[in-house]
Amino acid sequence: MAKSDLPSITLRVAAEFLKAESTDKRPAVAAYAYSDGGHLLAYSPLGEKGETKLELPASREASAVRVVLGPAPEEKEPPALDELLRRGAIERHLTLRPGDAAPDLRIPVFPDVWRYWLLGLCLVKGTVLKRVLRNGVSVDFPVCHATVEIYEVDPLWIVLPKLPPYVIDHLRDILAGKLPPQPLPGPGPAEAEINAHQVDAASLDALHAAAGNQKLRFAAMSGSAQMFQQALVEHAPLIRPILCWLYPRFVTMQLIGTAATDECGHFARFIFKGFHNPDQPDLYFKVKQRLFGFFEVTLYAPTPIACHTWWDYPCGTEVTLHVSNPLAMTCKPCAPVIAGNNWVLFTAIGNHSLDDIRGAATTLSGSSHAGNVGLTGGGAPWGGVLMPRLDFDNALRDSLGVKYYRLSWKRDGEPDSQYKPLNAAISRHYAQMIASDLVLTAYSLGPQVVGAQGNLFEIPPAVPPVGQWTVADAVEDTANGKFDTTTAMGGAPILDGLVQLRLELFDAAGAAVNIGALGIDYYVPTYVDGGGNIHTTKASDPLLGLGAGLVQGNAMVLTLHVNNEHCSAHIGAPMVGGTGADDCCGVLGYHTDSDNVTMPWQASHPHGFATYGFLVKRGARDVLSDSGAVGGGSFSQTRTVGDLMTTNPAPGCTGGCTVAGFTENLSVYAMATNGWGRLSNYDGWDARAFVLSHL
């Protein structure tokens, strides 16, 4: 393109901050010049005296220039024109003619504007998570390296005037009690969206509250259109859920900023509050992620917008966005551990935190004793394949030369020489782009032989060889060891008893680490606060380990109560007056409705680690249920014939039955857990049917 031989035009712009005292802090302001077509020609921040110069390209013809005075850009690039106007920027329109001197602009800025520019910044922050369901347990993993788009939704006093008159009249009729609350039919694709959004409890509660509000009801019944709209605005908290349900397609929004998530899924961005919505912004979010180097996927954009808007967002508060898209790439969970220097945190068994294991939890120390040590806070034992989870301070590898750990186990009462190392393979996954393909690669942690030591596992490095850590499997990629209690490393299965898990550290040469000499401490979690921070206490705390702590020499030792026994369930014959239902046909005769029917059953577990549920059904109706701990194992329930014949009748059934068929169902549930879920394969079950017939 040929360079213009015309001189540039210098435009001087000054801001006059009205009613500003010399001691007042003033906002950072810039002047922007746009062509008539909206192209940015120049921009420059104002100096301390509130003045600046804009160098504009000259033109051979008269041209229209739009000068905008507004907040200085927080971003690397100046904001778009519509964003400046949203922030309350002031406009001046000029016509520049060839040969004419450019005028000097002195633009007054009123106090409500310049003070808003000073105070209008709002911090928006949050976390993007992907919820993974494994063995019935929900686990959240951070969605890293994604883009969060932040939108401002029009506030109610802007939305309401945009609603067509027929919508306002419809809402008026609903609040006045003239029409049932049903969505209006709408033309085109919007109709499907409206009809697909079903009413929820919040919408119903808001509708009832709005209909019961005297001012709203009066305005709906007798007020003018303006009075009714004003009443709606004044009662915004009641109207928003109704708007979400009945009229979601009338809500509009504007993109006001983007932010990138970090390795922990966190994002943060300063935005300007809209000048016409100065109190608290109403925000909506979308989340996008680029896959395969070129393919951008929208992970989060829930609809209807009005139902997923953060109305009156308090600046600086945490927003949590849960995505469910299976393509969402996640990173390993971040451990915001609050501990001392050079820490090793024994976090959990599976997904069950140590802060709920007796002997390892300070909060349970007052009720823990030799009879329940190693059980969960709810009294459950451990079984199946146990997967300990550990977290390590990066300083161990970076500064202290500690590179490996080893987990081993023994039965309670055995000498330390009987510790047997866990030797199942453990790995992590990282993601990288190879050409246009996203590739997941396994990074083996062990077992490894280092120096004279075998069965060592590498402390995961903070950064993978290339790319980023990701979670390909919620269970495998969070485990630091695998302890199969059903095979016990090839020995006899552990049916019931205490075991000890030992954790040791080794340096890069495979030599055992002296934790005292290096200032290393083992920790256990105590609780997780509202911000997701893991609070801890030293494993040597005398409140742990029944008063002895969990640190033995240079190792940490955790005691667990393991149980891999099966439950038993048996239903005995129901009886009337000492006569049981026959095993052949299951018929049980009775004389009067006052005769008692006794229903015995056995629900047991060798060591009582089970609960039961007993249910009796007549036809398709439940007539009796019982549940609880198995205890001694022997149970029975007695009901009169009249109760069994008449309790919980089906619709249309009157007068009860004289002959009826019944089923008894008994389930015995094992309490044992592997930390990810209850071991239902150890459950017991039985069923029996009988018929009550008048003799």
Side-chain angles (χ1 to χ4, degrees), residues 67-399:
V67 178
V68 177
L69 197 67
E74 295 285 329
E75 310 86 349
K76 294 181 181 179
E77 299 294 331
L81 178 58
D82 60 346
E83 172 62 14
L84 279 172
L85 297 178
R86 191 189 70 86
R87 298 179 183 182
I90 301 171
E91 298 180 87
R92 290 291 184 271
H93 293 265
L94 302 176
T95 299
L96 300 180
R97 302 181 185 277
D100 290 353
D104 292 343
L105 284 183
R106 189 165 190 86
I107 302 176
V109 186
F110 290 91
D112 61 329
V113 176
W114 67 259
R115 286 173 182 158
Y116 169 75
W117 288 348
L118 183 65
L119 303 174
L121 278 178
C122 173
L123 175 62
V124 180
K125 65 177 184 177
T127 305
V128 182
L129 301 171
K130 180 179 180 179
R131 180 154 292 175
V132 178
L133 187 66
R134 181 64 183 257
N135 295 343
V137 179
S138 295
V139 186
D140 290 334
F141 293 96
V143 178
C144 48
H145 308 298
T147 299
V148 179
E149 295 181 347
I150 306 169
Y151 294 81
E152 183 177 45
V153 177
D154 286 341
L156 203 59
W157 57 84
I158 293 179
V159 172
L160 285 174
K162 295 180 181 179
L163 296 179
Y166 73 90
V167 173
I168 295 293
D169 291 341
H170 184 234
L171 186 56
R172 181 197 292 269
D173 289 340
I174 289 173
L175 295 179
K178 298 178 181 179
L179 288 176
Q182 295 180 347
L184 281 173
E191 180 178 359
E193 180 180 291
I194 293 176
N195 293 333
H197 179 63
Q198 300 298 318
V199 62
D200 54 20
S203 299
L204 281 178
D205 289 345
L207 182 64
H208 292 154
N213 185 281
Q214 294 300 317
K215 185 173 181 178
L216 263 179
R217 189 172 178 83
F218 177 79
M221 296 177 66
S222 58
S224 65
Q226 184 176 2
M227 176 182 174
F228 181 55
Q229 284 192 356
Q230 183 60 37
L232 294 177
V233 170
E234 292 174 358
H235 295 83
L238 298 180
I239 299 304
R240 285 171 185 154
I242 302 173
L243 188 73
C244 153
W245 173 34
L246 296 177
Y247 317 113
R249 65 190 175 96
F250 293 109
V251 175
T252 58
M253 61 186 185
Q254 176 183 343
L255 178 66
I256 59 174
T258 61
T261 60
D262 62 14
E263 299 286 341
C264 299
H266 301 319
F267 66 89
R269 169 68 189 265
F270 278 101
I271 65 166
F272 257 90
K273 300 177 184 177
F275 186 71
H276 300 291
N277 186 17
D279 294 331
Q280 295 299 135
D282 304 316
L283 302 180
Y284 174 83
F285 299 89
K286 292 183 182 180
V287 179
K288 299 179 179 179
Q289 195 174 51
R290 186 171 295 277
L291 302 178
F292 312 114
F294 64 91
F295 183 47
E296 187 174 68
V297 177
T298 298
L299 305 178
Y300 180 88
T303 56
I305 294 168
C307 303
H308 297 88
T309 294
W310 295 69
W311 299 100
D312 291 335
Y313 168 74
C315 297
T317 58
E318 184 79 10
V319 171
T320 302
L321 307 176
H322 282 99
V323 308
S324 57
N325 193 307
L327 294 177
M329 294 299 300
T330 61
C331 287
K332 60 177 267 188
C334 293
V337 178
I338 299 178
N341 296 326
N342 309 325
W343 51 265
V344 177
L345 179 65
F346 201 135
T347 308
I349 300 295
N351 200 45
H352 194 103
S353 175
L354 260 67
D355 66 4
D356 190 47
I357 300 177
R358 295 191 178 277
T362 55
T363 55
L364 300 175
S365 60
S367 58
S368 298
H369 49 77
N372 63 15
V373 68
L375 301 176
T376 69
W382 302 88
V385 180
L386 307 182
M387 297 189 176
R389 289 175 60 181
L390 310 171
D391 285 292
F392 301 90
D393 187 347
N394 290 338
L396 270 66
R397 283 184 64 122
D398 296 344
S399 305

Side-chain angles (χ1 to χ4, degrees), residues 13-17 26 46-52 106:
V13 181
E16 182 181 356
F17 297 95
R26 300 186 184 183
L46 271 60
E48 293 183 0
K49 295 183 179 180
E51 301 175 350
T52 192
R106 189 165 190 86

